[in-house]
Amino acid sequence: MSNMFCFQCEQTAGCKGCTGTQGVCGKKEDTAILQDELTGALIGLARVADVSEPTSSTHRAMIEGLFTTVTNVNFDNNAVQRQIDAVRRERKKLTSQCSSVEYDMKELWNESEDIRSLKSLILFGLRGMAAYAFHALVLGYTDNEVNQFFYKGLRAVGDDLGMDELFPIVMETGKVNLKCMELLDKANTETYGNPIPTTVPLKIEKGPFIVISGHDLRDLYLLLEQTKGKGINIYTHGEMLPAHAYPKLKAYSHLKGNFGTAWQNQQKEFANIPAPVLFTTNCLMPVKDSYRDRIFTTEVVAYPNMVHIGEDKDFTPVIEKALELGGYKEDKIMLGINGGTQVTTGFGHGTVLSVADKVVDSIKNGDIKHIFLVGGCDGAKPGRNYYTEFVKKAPKDSIILTLACGKYRFNDLDLGSINGLPRLMDMGQCNDAYSAIRVAVALAGVFKCNVNDLPLTLVLSWYEQKAVCILLSLLSLGIKNIYIGPSLPAFISPGVLDVLVNNYSLTPVSTPEEDLKNILG
């Protein structure tokens, strides 16, 4: 019998859970077991931290450990074991208690359906929030409330609590994640400047180049510094696309454009690529032989037998590989999913709020009748063309805000403009849901109404745990009538779903036509 059970991502087998020898994401059974052991050790650390004051190194071990368990981050058993060892060392610094404080994840999987569902929401929300906390941490930004909540949340996962006790902690997870996203927004903008609207070409110029994927802006900055004057161009991939909008990063002339489309297409798009790829975070897929010698990882991302760049951040192996491979002999024109040759990004809250008067006037005079936020994670599972069709069918008097990698379904479309405002505005990475919230709250203030009374609808796609914590943040703010898809999480029980539907009018997506009809009346 398999000891593997995992249902934390959208593609989980049969919409029930991955068992057997390998998950749908490519995670092997032994890796899944180690990640459960790591989670149990983290719960043990949280229990000890309740009676002994954690230190900055305790916080880092907690954040890195949670981040390691996010989908498509770490496939390397040795790397996961090192995280387990680091967590246990931190626990021993705080207390001499034995390993009995650790938690066996089988206890969670065997809980009653509703309890398991609420605890999973907390756990997966914490994993997503840890990714954001990590990106802020490496830039020198931390928040004590955020750090302390990791311990509180994990203790709740391991404790014998009922639904009435767990549900407030679920909502608190969302509330604290909002503060964490605000912290990361501050870290990114104070370090690299406020994003500005930027057009990003999809063309790859001839000559040596490096593709950098993931979310970590600091890794990109360090790579740009180390490649100055070396004749190597840098191209973003996936969630690194919004980096082009930050003034300090876009100042590097060898940051040229964006490579490829969404993360789930990497196994095809990276095949025989004449350049190395550096993964700074998820989403890393099982590596194919056609590009195995070109993949490099850093931070908590790891894959067996890949070259890993350590804390010294010496990217020399990546640079040498780029020069060795030489890049394309001629310029290569790459296309977006819909055939476009460029995309735009950089419409963060600073930019959108700077033209808030134009947005408000356009709403008041009827030129803009509705605003849709269509964003979230992308994925390979059938049904995600819903988001492409939704955007295409949205009325021409509507604005589309987007963020995260779900935008690759439609971000190369030319939707035109309304009174000089682009109809399609990319607000950034998944953590830039904070920008969308800032804009919504500001508009509600101008119109002297509740956010739920605005002509605004959120249409979200989810895949992994960062989308979970964002959804919890939205719910914690009391935002209702959110459409979510392409399928509901396997870890949401019917009982918990009833609560979310009744209290927040959370709605599974159906068809673009039907949903637009229901939204617009």
Side-chain angles (χ1 to χ4, degrees):
M1 177 179 289
S2 168
N3 288 312
M4 175 181 182
F5 178 75
C6 184
F7 63 170
Q8 69 175 1
C9 82
E10 186 265 341
Q11 66 183 358
T12 195
C15 292
K16 293 181 178 179
C18 291
T19 58
T21 60
Q22 181 173 302
V24 176
C25 71
K27 180 171 60 181
K28 299 291 181 63
E29 178 184 18
D30 51 357
T31 308
I33 292 169
L34 278 173
Q35 290 189 353
D36 276 358
E37 185 178 346
L38 172 56
T39 304
L42 288 166
I43 292 173
L45 180 60
R47 287 169 166 171
V48 168
D50 193 31
V51 293
S52 300
E53 188 66 29
T55 65
S56 58
S57 64
T58 319
H59 298 329
R60 184 163 190 130
M62 173 63 70
I63 291 169
E64 288 186 348
L66 284 166
F67 192 4
T68 295
T69 61
V70 170
T71 303
N72 291 90
V73 168
N74 199 310
F75 296 83
D76 188 338
N77 290 352
N78 292 330
V80 179
Q81 185 61 58
R82 285 194 293 272
Q83 290 287 355
I84 294 170
D85 295 341
V87 170
R88 288 173 175 162
R89 283 196 301 271
E90 287 300 321
R91 192 189 72 237
K92 288 179 181 178
K93 289 180 185 177
L94 299 182
T95 181
S96 59
Q97 290 185 48
C98 66
S99 61
S100 62
V101 296
E102 294 191 2
Y103 181 75
D104 185 345
M105 291 295 287
K106 289 189 177 69
E107 292 184 40
L108 175 57
W109 309 142
N110 292 326
E111 290 270 19
S112 65
E113 190 175 43
D114 289 340
I115 296 297
R116 183 178 72 170
S117 183
L118 291 174
K119 287 188 173 184
S120 294
L121 275 168
I122 296 168
L123 175 60
F124 302 155
L126 290 173
R127 288 175 173 176
M129 181 164 44
Y132 301 145
F134 179 84
H135 296 315
L137 177 63
V138 297
L139 292 176
Y141 290 72
T142 63
D143 182 273
N144 189 58
E145 181 184 349
V146 172
N147 290 337
Q148 292 298 331
F149 186 74
F150 287 121
Y151 305 100
K152 177 181 178 178
L154 283 180
R155 285 195 294 271
V157 173
D159 288 349
D160 184 17
L161 301 177
M163 288 188 68
D164 290 343
E165 297 165 293
L166 288 169
F167 200 81
I169 301 175
V170 170
M171 290 298 105
E172 189 177 359
T173 305
K175 178 183 176 183
V176 176
N177 180 64
L178 182 60
K179 187 163 190 176
C180 188
M181 289 193 295
E182 180 182 12
L183 176 72
L184 180 54
D185 178 82
K186 180 180 180 182
N188 285 337
T189 55
E190 289 189 353
T191 304
Y192 303 113
N194 287 304
I196 56 178
T198 302
T199 299
V200 183
L202 303 181
K203 179 179 74 173
I204 310 301
E205 296 181 12
K206 66 180 181 181
F209 68 96
I210 295 170
V211 176
I212 181 167
S213 188
H215 306 70
D216 201 298
L217 299 183
R218 177 174 175 267
D219 285 330
L220 172 59
Y221 169 73
L222 294 173
L223 180 65
L224 288 167
E225 273 291 301
Q226 293 179 37
T227 50
K228 280 193 306 187
K230 289 185 167 60
I232 299 172
N233 290 329
I234 307 298
Y235 294 88
T236 56
H237 174 262
E239 280 277 67
M240 197 64 80
L241 167 63
H244 289 274
Y246 287 88
K248 190 170 182 178
L249 299 175
K250 68 189 282 102
Y252 289 89
S253 60
H254 61 301
L255 178 60
K256 290 290 187 176
N258 193 67
F259 181 98
T261 54
W263 68 271
Q264 74 273 6
N265 300 322
Q266 66 188 256
Q267 291 177 324
K268 178 177 67 175
E269 293 178 343
F270 289 166
N272 302 308
I273 177 178
V277 182
L278 174 64
F279 277 90
T280 66
T281 57
N282 59 325
C283 291
L284 170 65
M285 296 178 73
V287 180
K288 299 289 189 180
D289 289 340
S290 60
Y291 58 93
R292 182 176 298 275
D293 64 328
R294 297 158 169 78
I295 297 297
F296 297 80
T297 62
T298 191
E299 296 297 358
V300 300
V301 191
Y303 196 86
N305 303 314
M306 299 290 107
V307 176
H308 187 79
I309 307 299
E311 292 184 5
D312 62 356
K313 295 297 180 180
D314 181 357
F315 293 118
T316 299
V318 190
I319 293 168
E320 290 177 343
K321 179 61 73 172
L323 294 172
E324 172 195 332
L325 293 171
Y328 293 110
K329 301 302 182 186
E330 301 293 337
D331 291 354
K332 181 178 178 64
I333 303 299
M334 301 190 75
L335 301 177
I337 288 177
N338 301 287
T341 58
Q342 62 185 29
V343 294
T344 57
T345 189
F347 291 90
H349 60 85
T351 294
V352 177
L353 292 179
S354 71
V355 293
D357 56 342
K358 187 178 291 189
V359 176
V360 170
D361 289 344
S362 297
I363 294 174
K364 285 181 176 179
N365 65 28
D367 292 334
I368 295 176
K369 289 191 169 60
H370 209 87
I371 299 174
F372 296 99
L373 173 62
V374 185
C377 308
D378 204 354
K381 200 172 182 179
R384 289 182 177 269
N385 61 320
Y386 166 94
Y387 298 94
T388 311
E389 293 306 309
F390 187 98
V391 168
K392 286 182 177 180
K393 294 178 188 301
K396 296 190 185 304
D397 55 8
S398 64
I399 292 286
I400 311 292
L401 304 178
T402 189
L403 49 84
C405 60
K407 62 175 168 271
Y408 279 99
R409 293 279 168 173
F410 49 80
N411 69 337
D412 62 324
L413 292 170
D414 183 359
L415 300 183
S417 61
I418 300 175
N419 297 337
L421 297 167
R423 283 195 58 225
L424 178 61
M425 302 185 197
D426 174 15
M427 306 192 84
Q429 297 181 343
C430 51
N431 54 282
D432 290 309
Y434 172 73
S435 275
I437 292 168
R438 282 279 303 271
V439 169
V441 170
L443 288 176
V446 171
F447 286 102
K448 296 181 172 56
C449 67
N450 186 283
V451 169
N452 293 314
D453 298 322
L454 290 170
L456 169 69
T457 303
L458 280 62
V459 184
L460 305 181
S461 55
W462 83 283
Y463 174 76
E464 42 91 321
Q465 298 76 66
K466 284 181 277 187
V468 173
C469 63
I470 289 172
L471 175 62
L472 295 181
S473 290
L474 295 170
L475 297 180
S476 74
L477 290 170
I479 296 176
K480 297 183 178 181
N481 301 308
I482 298 171
Y483 285 72
I484 187 169
S487 61
L488 290 174
F491 53 82
I492 299 291
S493 67
V496 171
L497 180 60
D498 283 346
V499 173
L500 297 177
V501 170
N502 292 334
N503 291 345
Y504 300 98
S505 301
L506 191 67
T507 305
V509 299
S510 57
T511 66
E513 296 84 358
E514 188 65 26
D515 290 343
L516 280 166
K517 180 181 176 182
N518 290 334
I519 292 167
L520 300 174

